[in-house]
């Protein structure tokens, strides 16, 4: 990858929201926003395309981005819809998430971007595809930008429909899944690394995806490249484990940043594993301390 490519920003599209916890805490997040926040911490300048309401939470989003130094140029305001929110409750000690419907990020319009050549990758997930307006925007940007795509699926009913898969992933440069999601999409066993390879091959053939990142929790991760080689990445255990919120987003952030900078893939995967472990030593998916993001690839 050339130096000019390495300096180009990723275009990141999707939800920004607040997680509302039973103890009254409100934590800013949404997987695409977490990735944008993290890659900015690593020295890139992501362009975040999302939407907020004309309300206090929306102003909090803009203030947080300004404080962190992120551009909010492509953050849209939807006057008659509230900013995104997730109600988190505990059942049997486990968190249950109610991703509230009809929120501002369900109405993301195509961004005011005429020239996509300044961007390196288009990153998006699948949650934002739940509404027709935002889904249409995703399809339009895929078609107009022709950018390499990093797709991070979240295969969790009721916020996912298998009929979306082709529209979201066909021809993608990278597809990130965990091993449970890989099983759901392929209906193949994914218990061993050989199982994972066979399931990946099935998806690659069906959807013409070049490269895959399959995360498997404590079993680490597997990077399957278009040339047929696979790279095993060991897990980096956190000490201490605080929570696992945002570990997958952290892994995706480093993988995306490493791809943009043109680093060797094994180095990038190992750095992603270390960073995901570090996120698990921290409360929440992101950090407001700049030092948290220093020397990620060292």
């Amino acid at each position: 990858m050339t130096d000019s490519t390495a300096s180009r920003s990723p275009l990141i599209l999707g939800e920004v929201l607040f997680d509302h916890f039973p103890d009254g805490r409100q934590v800013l997040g949404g997987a695409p926003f977490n990735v944008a926040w993290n890659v900015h911490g690593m020295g890139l300048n992501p362009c975040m395309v999302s939407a907020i309401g004309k309300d206090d939470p929306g102003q909090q989003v803009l203030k947080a981005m300004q404080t962190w130094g992120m551009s909010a140029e492509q953050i849209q305001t939807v006057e008659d819809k509230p900013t995104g929110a997730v109600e988190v409750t505990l059942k049997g000690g486990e968190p249950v998430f109610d991703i509230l419907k009809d929120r501002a990020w369900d109405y993301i319009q195509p961004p005011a971007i005429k020239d996509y050549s300044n961007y390196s990758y288009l990153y998006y997930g699948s949650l934002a595809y739940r509404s027709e307006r935002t889904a249409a925007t995703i399809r339009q940007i895929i078609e107009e930008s022709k950018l390499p795509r990093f797709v991070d699926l979240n295969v969790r009913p009721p916020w996912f429909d298998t009929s979306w898969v082709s529209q979201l992933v066909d021809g993608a440069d990278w597809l990130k899944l965990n091993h449970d999601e890989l099983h759901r999409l392929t209906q193949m066993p994914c218990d061993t690394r050989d199982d994972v390879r066979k399931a990946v091959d099935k998806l690659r053939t069906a959807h013409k995806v070049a490269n895959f990142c399959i995360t498997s929790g404590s079993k680490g991760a597997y990077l399957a490249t278009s040339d047929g080689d696979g790279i095993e990445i060991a897990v980096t255990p956190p000490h201490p484990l605080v929570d696992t919120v945002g570990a997958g987003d952290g892994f995706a952030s480093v993988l995306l940043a490493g791809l943009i900078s043109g680093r060797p893939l094994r180095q990038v995967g190992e750095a992603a594993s270390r960073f995901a472990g570090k996120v698990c030593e921290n409360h929440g998916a992101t950090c407001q301390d700049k030092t948290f993001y220093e020397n990620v690839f060292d």
Side-chain angles (χ1 to χ4, degrees):
M1 192 173 290
T2 66
D3 290 341
S4 60
T5 302
S7 65
R8 285 190 289 158
S9 305
L11 186 65
I12 298 179
L13 172 65
E15 65 275 11
V16 56
L17 49 81
F18 282 91
D19 290 321
H20 295 250
F21 290 89
D23 62 5
R25 285 184 303 132
Q26 297 184 23
V27 179
L28 179 58
F33 188 81
N34 292 339
V35 170
W37 184 282
N38 285 336
V39 299
H40 183 81
M42 295 171 204
L44 298 176
N45 292 302
C47 177
M48 180 73 201
V49 180
S50 191
I52 56 174
K54 193 174 184 180
D55 50 22
D56 287 342
Q59 290 304 306
Q60 291 175 43
V61 171
L62 295 179
K63 184 178 179 181
M65 293 180 73
Q66 180 182 25
T67 301
W68 192 235
M70 290 175 66
S71 169
E73 183 178 350
Q74 298 298 338
I75 301 295
Q76 304 161 18
T77 300
V78 183
E79 299 216 358
D80 59 345
K81 301 296 179 184
T83 297
V86 175
E87 296 291 347
V88 184
T89 55
L90 296 176
K91 292 186 178 180
E94 292 295 318
V96 177
F97 303 95
D98 181 13
I99 304 174
L100 302 184
K101 295 180 180 179
D102 205 33
R103 294 285 160 153
W105 57 267
D106 288 310
Y107 297 90
I108 301 172
Q109 300 285 340
I113 298 173
K114 293 182 179 180
D115 182 5
Y116 286 96
S117 65
N118 292 324
Y119 301 100
S120 51
Y121 272 85
L122 171 61
Y123 169 99
Y124 56 86
S126 53
L127 181 57
Y129 213 72
R130 72 179 186 175
S131 73
E132 182 47 43
R133 173 60 269 172
T134 300
T137 293
I138 292 173
R139 291 193 297 269
Q140 182 172 332
I141 296 177
I142 290 171
E143 178 63 28
E144 289 183 356
S145 73
K146 307 297 184 186
L147 288 169
R149 286 179 287 141
F150 188 116
V151 186
D152 192 348
L153 291 192
N154 190 345
V155 186
R156 293 181 188 172
W159 304 299
F160 185 82
D161 191 311
T162 53
S163 67
W164 303 347
V165 174
S166 286
Q167 297 170 59
L168 287 167
V169 311
D170 281 6
D173 197 62
W174 278 89
L175 175 59
K176 178 180 170 291
L177 301 163
N178 64 38
H179 69 280
D180 290 330
E181 292 166 336
L182 181 63
H183 167 68
R184 284 175 183 254
L185 290 183
T186 62
Q187 295 300 303
M188 294 175 66
C190 297
D191 300 319
T192 68
R193 193 59 81 206
D194 193 50
D195 290 341
V196 168
R197 288 190 186 98
K198 291 176 181 176
V200 162
D201 286 344
K202 180 178 179 178
L203 278 187
R204 177 178 282 126
T205 299
H207 298 290
K208 305 298 185 288
V209 175
N211 307 288
F212 289 79
C213 170
I214 310 299
T215 58
S216 302
S218 61
K219 295 180 180 178
Y222 176 66
L223 305 178
T225 57
S226 56
D227 59 12
D229 290 339
I231 299 174
E232 305 270 358
I233 304 297
V235 72
T236 303
H239 298 291
L241 172 61
V242 175
D243 68 47
T244 60
V245 174
D249 298 341
F251 196 105
S253 302
V254 176
L255 181 54
L256 180 61
L259 291 169
I260 292 170
S261 63
R263 296 174 184 271
L265 192 55
R266 177 171 290 282
Q267 179 195 17
V268 172
E270 291 172 351
S273 176
R274 290 194 302 271
F275 187 77
K278 192 175 178 181
V279 169
C280 294
E281 299 172 356
N282 187 48
H283 277 294
T286 58
C287 185
Q288 298 185 21
D289 181 355
K290 290 283 188 181
T291 63
F292 188 80
Y293 296 94
E294 291 178 353
N295 304 317
V296 167
F297 293 100
D298 296 339

